[in-house]
């Protein structure tokens, strides 16, 4: 049985000014009595989460389609005109390789143009970081990119950016939604374009962006000596193919092998289950190619190329995937070493990481006397921190555990293109020193501690799933653990209350961050466990971080086993397995 409020919404779509294909899809679900699917499609409106608008494509208010995108775009148009009165507002638009992405980008362009907003539309698919760059480069007040990042093929989405090239944060995100909610009918959306307001972006924008990426290189001589470093790269059927090979070649790498089966952009992602470089399965073809040609480094970007996953040879010569914490810590360590060597550390520099990203990055920054900041999950918060201290402090780099990194601040979002270039450069420097990238990482662990992280996710779909996730968080708040894996819980941070409670002293301190539904437990032995419902997927995620000293390389296996056992016990104690 469909709830009356949901049925009323369905009826409004069937009687409203929606196209016949949409009405046919809804009627088909009604005829087949697919009440659960209909309820999920209409029980709420798509909302801006940490990644903007994102949902399964199809008919319905909780689906990604021309109407939900249209209302979001019209709401954004109205908000931009309020915020920039008397100005000629400009926006940039890009899209990825997903099904319907070009059409959605064009619909957005049409609506902006109809509202007398100047539109700069990439004429073909391009990476998300290039959209972020274009906003500032062109002096735009806003921008959008049509993408659902690494989600399954059924999804698409729409990220909204502000004039600094960063995704919208409070109060803009809530205010845009408020404007969207004021639109009571799709008849208020101006779908009819004014073509003179739309300008296409081509190779000149590629060149402007690539020039900035080239400026990040800090080890030209090492690349020159190791130019034939064997690199395997896959764009996983996404936008990375447009820029990554070119950037690597321009950096000086002459031996890059592309995974042919995944080189062609394709929204069905035919060779993978999920186009996500975090998934081992998505890396299978690239790893096979790496073994075949005896490669040094494997890299994969997700469909919109804002994230990158890598594989390197371990101490036994076998290829292993590094997680986002490992790669992020390696990059920060490499950059700070290079800046120190070049005499560029003046005391004004800083790095940023998110609250669920490894604290190894903090240890590294402190050893170089470099300031560190922590933000909520999502690169929009990292960009917000850069904006806060711009002109007073100098941003070096930052990242989050979900394979997102940002080096330099000409892009204000995670950037898989520049990350690929710097990871390759880092591997060249390691090889120039007679090391693998993995050995460089072990050296880092010896200096700072061997950190190991684990991410456990539970998917809870639909309306019922959302309620289950909320209940799990409520239970953890009501009954926090006293010990985890034999170690006393000494601190609880509740980011919803923006408060940290020291259980030893009883002291309560403010976190100084925007409210967010995240819980974090710290134990006496330095373990950290975070619980966080995803802002973009029907998931609740648990982030586990443990660490131990590593005296030397020969102890690597035994210390890793100890850390694995600790993680296993944490999972058991928190009933996560």
């Amino acid at each position: 049985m469909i709830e009356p409020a949901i049925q009323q919404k369905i009826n409004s779509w069937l009687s409203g000014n929606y196209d016949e294909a949409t009405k046919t899809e809804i009627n088909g679900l009604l005829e087949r009595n697919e009440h659960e699917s209909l309820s999920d499609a209409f029980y709420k409106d798509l909302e801006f989460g940490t990644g903007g608008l994102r949902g399964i494509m199809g008919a319905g208010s909780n689906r990604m389609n021309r109407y939900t995108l249209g209302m979001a775009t019209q709401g954004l148009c109205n908000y931009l005109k309020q915020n920039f009165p008397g100005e000629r507002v400009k926006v940039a638009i890009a899209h990825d390789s997903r099904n319907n992405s070009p059409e959605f980008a064009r619909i957005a362009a049409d609506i902006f143009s109809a509202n007398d907003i100047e539109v700069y539309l990439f004429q073909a698919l391009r990476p998300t970081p290039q959209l972020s760059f274009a906003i500032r480069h062109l002096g735009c007040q806003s921008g959008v990119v049509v993408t659902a990042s690494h989600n399954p093929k059924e999804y698409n989405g729409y990220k909204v950016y502000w004039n600094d090239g960063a995704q919208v944060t409070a109060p803009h995100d809530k205010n845009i939604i408020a404007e969207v909610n004021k639109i009571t009918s799709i008849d208020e959306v101006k779908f009819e374009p004014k073509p003179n307001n739309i300008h296409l972006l081509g190779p000149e924008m590629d060149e402007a962006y690539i020039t900035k990426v080239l400026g990040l290189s800090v080890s030209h001589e090492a690349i020159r000596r190791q130019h034939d470093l064997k690199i395997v790269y896959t764009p996983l059927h996404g936008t990375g193919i447009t820029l990554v090979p070119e950037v690597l070649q321009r950096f000086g790498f002459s031996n890059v092998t592309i995974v042919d089966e995944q080189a062609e952009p394709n929204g069905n992602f035919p060779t993978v289950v999920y186009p996500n470089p975090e998934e081992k399965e998505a890396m299978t073809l690239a790893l096979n190619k790496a073994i075949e040609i005896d490669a040094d480094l494997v890299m994969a970007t997700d469909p919109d190329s804002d994230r990158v996953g890598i594989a390197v040879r371990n101490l036994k010569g076998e290829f292993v995937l590094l997680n986002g914490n490992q790669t992020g810590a390696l990059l920060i360590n490499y950059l700070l070493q290079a800046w120190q060597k070049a005499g560029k550390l003046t005391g004004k520099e800083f790095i940023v990481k998110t609250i669920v990203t490894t604290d190894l990055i903090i240890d590294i920054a402190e050893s170089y006397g470099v300031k560190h900041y922590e933000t909520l999950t999502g690169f929009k918060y990292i960009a917000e921190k850069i904006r806060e201290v711009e002109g007073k402090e100098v941003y070096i780099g930052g990242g989050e555990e979900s394979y997102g990194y940002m080096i330099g601040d000409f892009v204000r979002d995670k950037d898989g293109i520049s990350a690929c270039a710097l990871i390759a450069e880092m591997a060249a420097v390691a090889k120039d020193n007679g090391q693998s990238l993995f050995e460089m990482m072990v050296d880092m662990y010896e200096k700072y501690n061997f950190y190991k992280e684990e991410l456990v996710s539970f998917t809870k779909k639909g309306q019922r799933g959302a309620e289950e996730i909320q209940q799990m968080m409520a239970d953890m708040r009501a009954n926090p653990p006293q010990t985890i894996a034999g170690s006393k819980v000494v601190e609880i941070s509740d980011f919803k209350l923006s408060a940290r409670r020291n259980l030893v002293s009883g002291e309560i301190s403010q976190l100084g961050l925007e409210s967010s539904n995240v819980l974090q437990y710290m134990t006496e032995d330095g373990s950290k466990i975070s619980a966080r419902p995803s802002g973009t997927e029907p998931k609740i995620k648990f982030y586990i971080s443990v660490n131990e000293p590593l005296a030397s390389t020969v102890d690597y296996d035994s210390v890793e086993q100890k850390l694995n056992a600790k993680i296993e016990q944490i999972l058991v104690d928190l009933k996560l397995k």
Side-chain angles (χ1 to χ4, degrees), residues 168 495 577:
V168 289
F495 290 84
K577 64 175 299 176

Side-chain angles (χ1 to χ4, degrees), residues 126-151:
R126 281 297 182 272
T128 290
Q130 198 177 1
L131 181 277
S132 172
F133 168 76
I135 290 168
R136 295 173 73 218
H137 185 74
L138 296 167
C140 295
Q141 283 83 356
S142 182
V144 298
V145 59
V146 177
T147 180
S149 189
H150 58 285
N151 279 53

